[in-house]
Amino acid sequence: MLTKTLLRSDVMRVVDYRCSASPGQKPFTEMHSGYSISYVRKGSFGYNSRGVSHELVAGSVLLGYPQDEFMCTHDHHVCGDECLAFHLSPGFVDLIENDRRLWQTGSLPPLPELMVLGELAQAAADGRSDIGLDEAGIWLAARMAQVASPRKSNASITTSQERKRAVEAAMWIHTHSHENLALKHVARQVGLSAFHFLRMFSRVIGVTPHQYLVRSRLARAARLLAQDEQTVTHIALDVGFADLSNFVRTFGRAAGISPQAFRRLRPADRKIFQDRISAMLDDARLINSFSRKPSCTTTSASASKISHRASSSTKLS
């Protein structure tokens, strides 16, 4: 496991995790040292905690709760995984959402609101965005508290073969998200009928194939908006949206701001956002230092306050 601390403050510690573990390596028990939210930017891995199994793919979020034991597995991938983790102070958690059930959820499926901000945070970490990494982390955590709610995972009732197929399909969709994909075409990649594939994928990943496709497109659009000077129209078409209006509407719902506003996140344009951050940072509860021993895991924290409707469409795009 390669780790690099990118930021350390009283509010959060931000760590870049790169795991090269492969199938066949024996997993071991670890423990979360505190609250954390980890955005999975690449690869996939299994996560077992509180008797529940989760499969995380690009766009998923891993939740960390203090002193919770867990085990990461790598049965269904060969390319490793990468996460951007925000380890949060208890004082900050009190400000945004201190419901224990939320932080003990284990993981969140790829949610558009979090994927867009996760990519913005990654752009900040890479120096590709004018927004500060602490700002991006606070925004991501606050947005998580708005959209997340405790949920039960169905992953534990699926077979190992089903989880393997679902993870492979998710990685294939993520790679080919700019293409015009039909449900039956993706199902064919894992040797299943469209009906059985839809049911299996939804149970394992937590969202439908179509939802994951759209969210992968949004994540790619966020990366391009943060680093590229292409027009918004060009980016919308490049990532796979059929028309600009649909992209603007979908992106706006996810990020809470328009693609143009997202691109122009300059200091002068962030006054309202920064005022909210200042109000949070002035709170006495944030006087917490990170004196604990740094965690050596790909932890992450969050949960969600919206329910997700399963799509009955037989077309992915």
Side-chain angles (χ1 to χ4, degrees), residues 67-81:
Q67 306 306 308
D68 263 7
E69 292 187 346
F70 67 95
M71 184 179 293
C72 288
T73 61
H74 306 85
D75 300 330
H76 308 314
H77 73 84
V78 294
C79 61
D81 57 84

Side-chain angles (χ1 to χ4, degrees), residues 236-252:
L237 298 177
D238 186 46
V239 301
F241 282 87
D243 63 83
L244 178 61
S245 61
N246 183 31
F247 169 67
V248 171
R249 185 170 57 252
T250 305
F251 190 94

Side-chain angles (χ1 to χ4, degrees), residues 10-215:
D10 287 345
V11 178
M12 68 178 65
R13 178 167 52 90
V14 185
V15 183
D16 181 272
Y17 292 102
R18 302 185 183 218
C19 178
S20 58
S22 59
Q25 290 190 235
K26 187 176 180 180
F28 54 94
T29 301
E30 303 174 73
M31 180 180 290
H32 290 294
S33 61
Y35 296 98
S36 59
I37 301 176
S38 296
Y39 175 69
V40 183
R41 66 170 179 263
K42 183 179 180 182
S44 68
F45 60 95
Y47 174 78
N48 301 316
S49 180
R50 294 181 171 270
V52 180
S53 298
H54 310 255
E55 293 295 336
L56 286 86
V57 296
S60 299
V61 170
L62 182 62
L63 322 174
Y65 182 76
Q67 306 306 308
D68 263 7
E69 292 187 346
F70 67 95
M71 184 179 293
C72 288
T73 61
H74 306 85
D75 300 330
H76 308 314
H77 73 84
V78 294
C79 61
D81 57 84
E82 298 179 6
C83 297
L84 183 64
F86 297 85
H87 299 270
L88 308 174
S89 72
F92 179 62
V93 170
D94 283 343
L95 289 179
I96 59 170
E97 179 57 79
N98 61 5
D99 186 341
R100 182 177 62 182
R101 295 171 303 165
L102 183 153
W103 297 97
Q104 292 177 336
T105 303
S107 72
L108 293 176
L111 303 177
E113 299 89 344
L114 303 186
M115 290 179 76
V116 168
L117 296 183
E119 292 299 331
L120 178 62
Q122 188 60 55
D126 295 339
R128 295 183 282 105
S129 173
D130 191 24
I131 193 170
L133 184 54
D134 55 345
E135 292 178 328
I138 289 173
W139 195 359
L140 175 65
R143 188 68 164 159
M144 177 278 296
Q146 289 177 344
V147 304
S149 63
R151 63 182 68 209
K152 265 188 117 168
S153 169
N154 290 324
S156 58
I157 65 173
T158 57
T159 67
S160 176
Q161 181 63 19
E162 286 176 327
R163 294 194 293 273
K164 183 176 185 295
R165 282 177 164 177
V167 168
E168 289 176 348
M171 296 177 72
W172 193 89
I173 291 172
H174 191 73
T175 300
H176 298 270
S177 62
H178 59 287
E179 301 175 12
N180 186 19
L181 303 180
L183 179 63
K184 62 181 181 181
H185 180 54
V186 182
R188 201 177 301 135
Q189 299 296 315
V190 291
L192 291 174
S193 69
F195 172 75
H196 286 97
F197 170 66
L198 174 62
R199 186 172 60 175
M200 176 200 71
F201 189 96
S202 301
R203 287 209 315 263
V204 174
I205 305 301
V207 296
T208 69
H210 177 71
Q211 288 172 326
Y212 189 63
L213 172 66
V214 172
R215 293 163 195 194

